[in-house]
């Protein structure tokens, strides 16, 4: 249990840490097992994708369990480090690991067909739309930090878990809707994605400035300023990586066929 200095008492959820640790380890083991199966059947799976998956899983885990997660109950700056790990860094790494492609290569024909049908379904077409993904990602953060939700979630373990789950899933959906690493039946043009991305980036930056000026419930002015600056500068640095990947894919798709391969 922790107190954040404002009379809020928080449970750091250490009872669940061993279970979560086992689950995260399983996620890595399953991916590696799929890599072994896939590499036997087809061309060798790129090693860097496995590295991205392991690193992405570690980033996700460190935002939910361990020192950063425990500190986040008391310290808004630590909470913001967790947000960047869970909602931005981990999604990029996990998307770059191309888990859907690996699953399609590893599963039996019938299961792979079922997965393809799910990818082509209308709910996925709505969720994978860059506008929907951006609204869930940036809109969710605006709700979290500009309403009383941030203060309330520290008193309710289920709500706390749901908020973290949303931050991660919305971050993954947003990243996957911007850069296509896996099969994407509902594709959008580079121009459309670039426009939506630019608007989302502005929404994220404006929110970080809002947090700087208007601390969320139960957060001191000093911590809000530190957290807001971290969200602004670190968030932009992470987005630069996403912009570089998107621009590289755009260049690769539109360059003349006769040009030299990079």
């Amino acid at each position: 249990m922790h107190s954040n200095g404002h009379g809020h008492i928080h449970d750091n959820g250490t009872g669940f840490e061993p279970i979560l640790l086992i689950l995260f380890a399983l996620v890595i083991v399953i991916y590696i097992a799929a890599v072994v199966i896939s590499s036997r059947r087809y061309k060798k799976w790129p090693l860097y994708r496995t590295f991205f998956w392991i690193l992405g899983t570690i980033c996700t885990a460190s935002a939910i369990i361990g020192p950063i997660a425990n500190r986040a109950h008391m310290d808004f700056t630590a909470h913001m480090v967790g947000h960047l790990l869970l909602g931005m860094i981990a999604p990029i790494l996990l998307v770059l690991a191309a888990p859907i492609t690996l699953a399609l290569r590893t599963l039996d024909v019938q299961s792979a067909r079922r997965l393809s049908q799910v990818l082509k379904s209308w709910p996925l077409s709505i969720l994978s739309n860059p506008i929907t993904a951006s609204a869930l990602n940036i809109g969710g953060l605006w709700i979290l930090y500009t309403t009383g939700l941030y203060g309330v979630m520290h008193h309710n373990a289920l709500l706390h878990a749901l908020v973290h789950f949303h931050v991660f899933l919305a971050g993954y959906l947003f990243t996957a809707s911007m850069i296509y690493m896996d099969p994407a039946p509902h594709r959008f043009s580079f121009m459309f994605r670039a426009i939506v991305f630019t608007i989302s980036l502005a929404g994220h930056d404006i929110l970080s400035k809002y947090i700087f000026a208007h601390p969320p419930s139960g957060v001191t002015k000093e911590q809000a300023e530190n957290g807001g600056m971290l969200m602004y500068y670190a968030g932009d640095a992470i987005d630069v990586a996403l912009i570089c990947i998107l621009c590289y894919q755009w260049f690769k798709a539109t360059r003349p066929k006769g040009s030299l391969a990079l």
Side-chain angles (χ1 to χ4, degrees):
M1 298 287 238
H2 292 300
S3 170
N4 70 355
H6 298 279
H8 293 181
I9 303 295
H10 307 306
D11 183 357
N12 63 12
T14 47
F16 290 105
E17 287 199 359
I19 299 161
L20 289 169
L21 209 56
I22 291 163
L23 285 173
F24 283 118
L26 265 174
V27 165
I28 292 171
V29 168
I30 291 165
Y31 187 95
I32 292 169
V35 167
V36 172
I37 295 164
S38 172
S39 296
R40 279 178 188 163
R41 290 182 190 168
Y42 308 99
K43 197 171 76 172
K44 201 169 182 291
W45 187 253
L47 188 64
Y48 70 88
R49 293 209 190 276
T50 307
F51 173 73
F52 285 143
W53 184 261
I54 293 167
L55 203 58
T57 307
I58 291 167
C59 286
T60 307
S62 61
I64 297 168
I65 51 176
I68 295 167
N70 293 336
R71 182 85 191 154
H73 291 284
M74 305 174 286
D75 185 347
F76 185 69
T77 310
H79 162 84
M80 196 53 74
V81 170
H83 152 68
L84 292 166
L85 284 167
L86 191 64
M88 297 186 81
I89 299 171
I92 290 177
L93 292 167
L94 295 173
V95 166
L96 288 171
I100 307 295
T101 304
L102 181 62
L104 289 168
R105 280 171 51 137
T106 311
L107 293 166
D108 60 83
V109 176
Q110 204 173 358
S111 301
R113 276 186 189 148
R114 281 200 204 106
L115 179 56
S116 293
Q117 282 168 356
V118 170
L119 293 171
K120 289 171 186 171
S121 66
W122 68 265
L124 253 291
S125 76
I126 294 165
L127 288 170
S128 63
N129 186 309
I131 293 173
T132 313
S134 299
L136 287 168
N137 190 30
I138 308 301
L141 294 176
W142 272 89
I143 292 166
L144 176 61
Y145 297 122
T146 63
T147 67
L149 182 59
Y150 178 78
V152 174
M153 80 170 189
H154 289 295
H155 297 286
N156 187 312
L158 179 63
L159 187 62
H160 194 268
L162 284 171
V163 166
H164 279 73
F165 182 69
H166 173 87
V167 167
F168 170 73
L169 204 61
Y172 185 91
L173 271 174
F174 175 74
T175 307
S177 75
M178 289 297 148
I179 52 169
Y180 298 141
M181 290 294 164
D182 278 319
H186 313 281
R187 287 177 176 259
F188 293 85
S189 71
F190 284 104
M191 183 59 77
F192 179 75
R193 282 181 278 155
I195 291 164
V196 175
F197 185 86
T198 306
I199 295 164
S200 300
L201 186 60
H204 194 265
D205 282 355
I206 293 163
L207 177 59
S208 63
K209 289 176 181 178
Y210 183 90
I211 290 167
F212 186 95
H214 305 90
S217 55
V219 177
T220 63
K221 191 176 188 301
E222 186 190 3
Q223 284 196 6
E225 286 174 358
N226 291 338
M229 283 197 290
L230 185 65
M231 184 180 178
Y232 184 85
Y233 291 110
D236 276 3
I238 298 159
D239 279 328
V240 164
L242 203 55
I243 290 164
C244 289
I245 297 164
L246 180 65
C247 289
Y248 174 67
Q249 288 182 335
W250 197 342
F251 167 75
K252 233 169 78 166
T254 55
R255 73 178 175 201
K257 290 286 182 280
S259 67
L260 291 169
L262 289 179

